[in-house]
Amino acid sequence: MRFVGGKIDALLGDYLKPIETNWQPADFLPDSAQDNFLEEVKLLRESVRELTYDYVAVLVGDTITEEALPTYESWLMDMEGVDQSNPQNWTRWIRSWTAEENRHGDLLNKFLYLSGRVNMRAMEVSTQYLIADGFDIGTGRDPYRNFVYTSFQELATNVSHRRTATLAKQAGCPQLSKICGVIASDEMRHAKAYKAFVKQIFEVDPSEMMLAFEDMMRKKIVMPAHFLRETGVKIGQTFSHFSDAAQRLGVYTTTDYIDILDDLLADWNIASISDLDDAAQRARDYLMALPARLRRIAERTKVPTLEYPFSWIA
Ligand SMILES: [Fe+2]
Ligand SMILES: [Fe+2]
């Protein structure tokens, strides 16, 4: 952590944008200080009419996932090797990353509020539950496992926001499409950062990094909102309905999960990393064979058709 952390200040400019010139939620929303605000809100509400039930449900789930940012920041701050009293180095990365991420939930939340399609109170209850329930992603305080997780997760959110952008455009909602698009591009930048951290760790500690990667993939990468719930619904059940809806829409599917794994294997040159001890070589073999194995399983899984009434949808 000291080795990679020492380079963080130099890397920051590659993976984060300056605050003054970065986009803000207000850039994509009707301006409530202007006289035409109500007119713009009316147009916004008309534009979302064609969005399907599953689409709105997925967008709400995505928003809640983004809104649980306090969990993610505090989790990362607690990693071994992070010293919160030093404002530079890892602390600087985590705080600046959080500051960028914070705009995602903010923007989506305001858009949904204006859309008139959502029961905001039910959604807010789910958000509060999710932050209160936290998560258990199987990384512990280990930065190696955490960076595998964040690399994977930023790519997964990139895919899902990119797909909701495309679907919004098809449904005649260019404003929402733009919103999902700018968020997706943030996620890609963040993915590049986390992947770069892992790549550097592979250079200096290949065996331990390989074992951490294997361990995370054996456990399966759970989504950060896996504890998602609604009033009167058991913990995790809402999440599985949300993920079914995402699968039905093609916003995030089992195939995407496998494609992301393929990406990571290629980006980190897993096939050609040398200097591995015996256990790490076995871990590498497991990882290299994993995409094909998951594809065989995926062929047999059906996309769930059951439609579930979410309390979030007005
Ligand atoms: Fe995000
Ligand atoms: Fe992200």
Side-chain angles (χ1 to χ4, degrees):
M1 282 298 269
R2 263 202 304 277
F3 170 76
V4 184
K7 303 177 176 183
I8 283 285
D9 291 332
L11 281 174
L12 232 52
D14 293 342
Y15 302 116
L16 294 166
K17 288 201 167 164
I19 293 172
E20 287 298 330
T21 51
N22 211 346
W23 65 265
Q24 296 300 335
D27 302 336
F28 300 94
L29 293 163
D31 182 352
S32 62
Q34 297 299 317
D35 287 341
N36 66 354
F37 175 65
L38 294 176
E39 188 53 38
E40 289 209 0
V41 171
K42 219 177 124 203
L43 292 172
L44 186 155
R45 291 163 75 96
E46 278 164 18
S47 75
V48 299
R49 271 198 207 135
E50 301 296 313
L51 299 174
T52 62
Y53 187 92
D54 269 349
Y55 184 95
V56 178
V58 166
L59 202 60
V60 171
D62 287 351
T63 306
I64 298 169
T65 306
E66 295 285 353
E67 295 273 45
L69 186 60
T71 302
Y72 318 142
E73 186 191 22
S74 55
W75 194 270
L76 291 173
M77 275 295 192
D78 191 46
M79 279 188 303
E80 283 172 54
V82 177
D83 171 15
Q84 224 179 130
S85 64
N86 173 7
Q88 298 305 314
N89 212 290
W90 284 112
T91 305
R92 187 157 167 232
W93 163 260
I94 296 167
R95 286 184 180 149
S96 306
W97 170 83
T98 303
E100 283 205 347
E101 285 285 341
N102 187 56
R103 299 165 310 147
H104 300 170
D106 197 5
L107 175 53
L108 289 169
N109 184 314
K110 284 183 181 127
F111 184 90
L112 287 173
Y113 169 66
L114 294 174
S115 78
R117 294 284 306 267
V118 174
N119 177 335
M120 289 304 291
R121 190 171 203 286
M123 173 176 144
E124 287 156 356
V125 166
S126 287
T127 302
Q128 187 173 350
Y129 266 130
L130 186 59
I131 296 173
D133 291 334
F135 64 9
D136 181 12
I137 52 176
T139 59
R141 298 181 63 225
D142 173 24
Y144 292 15
R145 284 171 176 76
N146 268 289
F147 292 152
V148 168
Y149 184 84
T150 48
S151 297
F152 195 103
Q153 202 46 54
E154 295 285 0
L155 289 172
T157 47
N158 168 265
V159 168
S160 61
H161 290 307
R162 205 152 25 90
R163 299 264 169 74
T164 51
T166 306
L167 291 171
K169 200 170 185 185
Q170 288 164 2
C173 198
Q175 188 180 5
L176 178 58
S177 178
K178 223 187 235 173
I179 287 172
C180 297
V182 289
I183 296 174
S185 75
D186 273 8
E187 311 294 21
M188 186 46 94
R189 234 176 341 98
H190 298 159
K192 284 182 183 153
Y194 286 115
K195 285 194 290 184
F197 302 157
V198 171
K199 203 167 189 127
Q200 291 184 16
I201 299 170
F202 266 123
E203 277 166 29
V204 290
D205 195 5
S207 290
E208 285 300 318
M209 191 61 240
M210 192 68 77
L211 290 170
F213 188 14
E214 179 211 17
D215 181 52
M216 288 309 293
M217 295 318 299
R218 277 191 192 276
K219 285 175 183 155
K220 293 196 187 79
I221 304 286
V222 296
M223 295 299 123
H226 65 138
F227 286 164
L228 190 63
R229 60 161 138 165
E230 297 154 272
T231 301
V233 179
K234 265 204 224 121
I235 210 167
Q237 274 187 7
T238 301
F239 177 79
S240 74
H241 294 302
F242 159 59
S243 110
D244 286 354
Q247 181 103 1
R248 275 197 296 273
L249 276 180
V251 162
Y252 185 73
T253 66
T254 319
T255 310
D256 294 318
Y257 184 97
I258 305 165
D259 289 347
I260 290 170
L261 171 59
D262 268 334
D263 266 19
L264 295 177
L265 291 170
D267 270 3
W268 293 331
N269 286 321
I270 296 302
S272 52
I273 286 179
S274 48
D275 283 340
L276 295 175
D277 62 26
D278 288 351
Q281 279 189 32
R282 283 194 299 276
R284 188 239 304 272
D285 293 344
Y286 170 83
L287 287 164
M288 292 306 294
L290 188 57
R293 234 181 68 202
L294 292 177
R295 280 206 170 85
R296 284 195 296 276
I297 298 166
E299 279 163 19
R300 292 196 295 267
T301 30
K302 289 197 199 88
V303 179
T305 52
L306 170 85
E307 282 205 37
Y308 164 85
F310 291 94
S311 62
W312 308 324
I313 301 191

